[in-house]
Amino acid sequence: EPEVTQTPSHQVTQMGQEVILRCVPISNHLYFYWYRQILGQKVEFLVSFYNNEISEKSEIFDDQFSVERPDGSNFTLKIRSTKLEDSAMYFCASRTGGNTGELFFGEGSRLTVL
Amino acid sequence: AQTVTQSQPEMSVQEAETVTLSCTYDTSESDYYLFWYKQPPSRQMILVIRQEAYKQQNATENRFSVNFQKAAKSFSLKISDSQLGDAAMYFCAYRSWSNAGKSTFGDGTTLTVKP
């Protein structure tokens, strides 16, 4: 069964460092998302991506964040200069076109900023 | 902005019994989707059940069913004949009708199933 895969599963970084989280969505999906979940808190929307551009982003998704789909398979989230409060689990999700498509989530990448 | 509220941080149920998880939401939209996702420990979220707001009939998926009350903005999940494998965090989520709509999640309910 096709699934969304994310790497790395866990990354530890120093404050101020750049981090890239990688996702391989399901191949025939058209919409791509990043969500994050700070430990003990709710899952929060970061950004949605469609047709090679950001379609919506939240207030969390400031200039320190960027997304890219550099080729036909990968979907990356970059944090330019990490802060302590960026420590969270980051989930990638994708879905097919149309209104009814369910979200398929990856297993998440845990980011720890020291 | 839409909000989703799950008022039960934790619930427990005896194996083979029935449990209901609560979810309320707030929106000014008339067309939208509601979802329940299951997140087992250290695993990704998977869709349990989906409800389209325009449908009056409650969605059912095997042992999982919902009680969708649109006027009350309530969307509860009933799990019948609970199994040990049902133990997980359950998230209620709202999504707008638009094609690229983001999903808004509740805080989650941790369900424990006792043998």
Side-chain angles (χ1 to χ4, degrees), chain A residues 31 33 35 37 42-43 45 48 55-56 91 95 98-103 105-107, chain B residues 4 33 37 39 43-45 47 50 91 95 97-103 105-107:
Chain A
Y31 296 86
Y33 304 82
Y35 288 81
Q37 184 180 29
K42 65 172 61 181
V43 177
F45 168 78
S48 59
S55 47
E56 189 173 0
F91 292 101
R95 67 179 182 93
N99 280 332
T100 59
E102 71 179 85
L103 282 178
F105 285 88
E107 293 194 358
Chain B
V4 177
Y33 297 93
Y37 286 91
Q39 185 183 33
R43 297 291 312 214
Q44 69 264 55
M45 280 183 283
L47 180 70
R50 167 178 56 221
F91 291 96
R95 198 179 93 212
W97 184 257
S98 64
N99 268 334
K102 68 180 184 183
S103 294
F105 287 81
D107 286 333

Side-chain angles (χ1 to χ4, degrees), chain B residues 9-24:
Chain B
E10 296 178 351
M11 291 284 284
S12 67
V13 63
Q14 207 70 33
E15 196 175 5
E17 297 290 303
T18 295
V19 65
T20 298
L21 308 184
S22 301
C23 173
T24 59

